[in-house]
Amino acid sequence: MVNYREQALDRVFAALADPTRRALVAQLEQKQSLTVSELARPFPVSLPAIMKHLDVLSDAGLITRSKSGRTVNCRLTAATMKSAMDWLHRYERFWSEGLARLSALLEEDESCPPTQVLLQPPSQASPSSAASTPRRPRSKPRGPTRK
Amino acid sequence: MVNYREQALDRVFAALADPTRRALVAQLEQKQSLTVSELARPFPVSLPAIMKHLDVLSDAGLITRSKSGRTVNCRLTAATMKSAMDWLHRYERFWSEGLARLSALLEEDESCPPTQVLLQPPSQASPSSAASTPRRPRSKPRGPTRK
DNA sequence: TCGATAGTTAACCATTAGGTTAAGTGTAGC
DNA sequence: GCTACACTTAACCTAATGGTTAACTATCGA
């Protein structure tokens, strides 16, 4: 059971990690039901690519599809999105506390050095060495190392 | 700017799509700061694998790292997690409305067939044909089709 | 009945992800 | 100074991902 829930979270977060899929979900937010062709129309990629994305969203429990004649209608379903939300809620105090601590710090004596707050700007998107010390030089190329 | 936010969401959802990384985040929920070795200890994979996961979490703005002597301390940061939460909030009405409609349906005359509600059990995790009609037989193998 | 529409899926490709081992670097303690 | 500890990173591997084209099937309307 726990494993199943974990796998469901895997799929929901993975499904939402792609900008095309989030854009598909956003369309379905605007309109209750859309056909596959209507969903595909704004995107520059091929129809089978969109169909693959819809497969991923369906596997994640984020949409349902129903066929009517030759068209397939897609609708949002939200149960698994709610479970992702619940998971994120566990960390709400980390930004709430950060904001609260910021407020408290502003009221303290200015001679008192501020403690580090949790809310921090995100690191730059790059292969990172996010340790506060300067990045050390890369080690020398090694050539084939596999035995 | 908008693109930057989209890319940030890409990274946050992708970072949380892996069970190992969610487990790393959960450890940091329990304890304010942990070293890389402490974080790695519960996992059956190699230390460089954990280091790669920490890189992904850092790139997503979910942790910060600071070096003290030979140890690196990791802490949760929550700003980008909050942005994922905000994105999911857009869909809150889809499970709220679903629940409300379920309540309304329960109060209706039982002879009235229920309309389809939005909250539905997630589909089984498998290559899916989630259309309500039975899955059609696979088409015949085609052999190489590339020109 | 036939052509158009809507969707489906096999086969393929390039890239990325998640793991490994091996070798390396910086720091701490004796 | 030397060894151990903590971490870092190159090079490699397999599997998965996100896209394509081509060929196919089901349905609709003339």
Side-chain angles (χ1 to χ4, degrees), chain A residues 2 21 25 36 43 45 50 65 77 94 99 101 116 124-125 127 129-130 133 147:
Chain A
V2 172
R21 290 197 288 274
V25 167
V36 169
F43 297 96
V45 300
I50 295 297
R65 294 181 282 198
T77 54
F94 287 88
L99 291 172
R101 286 177 67 194
Q116 192 174 32
Q124 293 300 318
S129 72
T133 55
K147 283 181 165 170

Side-chain angles (χ1 to χ4, degrees), chain B residues 58-133:
Chain B
S58 178
D59 286 347
L62 294 173
I63 64 167
T64 54
R65 297 180 281 196
S66 61
K67 195 156 191 175
S68 170
R70 67 190 175 193
T71 64
V72 171
N73 286 284
C74 305
R75 292 165 166 257
L76 272 182
T77 53
T80 52
M81 196 179 284
K82 183 180 189 303
S83 67
M85 175 76 100
D86 290 342
W87 191 89
L88 287 170
H89 258 123
R90 289 163 57 174
Y91 302 92
E92 188 173 16
R93 71 176 188 276
F94 286 88
W95 61 80
S96 299
E97 284 177 356
L99 291 171
R101 286 177 65 193
L102 272 173
S103 298
L105 283 173
L106 288 174
E107 292 174 4
E108 279 179 3
D109 194 323
E110 282 187 16
S111 67
C112 178
T115 57
Q116 193 175 33
V117 295
L118 293 175
L119 274 174
Q120 286 168 359
S123 57
Q124 292 302 316
S126 63
S128 76
S129 71
S132 58
T133 55

Side-chain angles (χ1 to χ4, degrees), chain A residues 2-60:
Chain A
V2 172
N3 256 358
Y4 173 78
R5 290 172 69 104
E6 281 297 303
Q7 284 164 12
L9 280 174
D10 291 353
R11 289 192 291 273
V12 174
F13 283 120
L16 297 174
D18 184 86
T20 301
R21 290 197 288 274
R22 288 202 307 279
L24 290 166
V25 167
Q27 286 194 74
L28 290 170
E29 176 197 359
Q30 303 299 328
K31 207 163 187 229
Q32 193 173 31
S33 174
L34 287 163
T35 66
V36 169
S37 300
E38 287 169 332
L39 281 165
R41 193 160 295 129
F43 297 96
V45 300
S46 65
L47 183 60
I50 295 297
M51 302 236 21
K52 286 190 175 189
H53 282 304
L54 294 175
D55 282 344
V56 174
L57 290 172
S58 178
D59 286 347

Side-chain angles (χ1 to χ4, degrees), chain B residues 1-66:
Chain B
M1 184 50 158
V2 169
N3 257 357
Y4 173 79
R5 289 170 73 102
E6 281 297 303
Q7 284 165 12
L9 281 174
D10 291 353
R11 289 191 293 272
V12 173
F13 283 122
L16 297 175
D18 184 87
T20 301
R21 291 196 289 273
R22 287 201 308 277
L24 290 167
V25 168
Q27 285 194 75
L28 290 170
E29 176 197 359
Q30 302 300 326
K31 207 162 187 227
Q32 193 171 30
S33 173
L34 287 163
T35 67
V36 169
S37 299
E38 287 169 333
L39 282 164
R41 193 161 294 131
F43 296 95
V45 299
S46 67
L47 183 60
I50 294 298
M51 301 234 26
K52 285 189 174 188
H53 283 304
L54 292 175
D55 282 344
V56 174
L57 290 171
S58 178
D59 286 347
L62 294 173
I63 64 167
T64 54
R65 297 180 281 196
S66 61

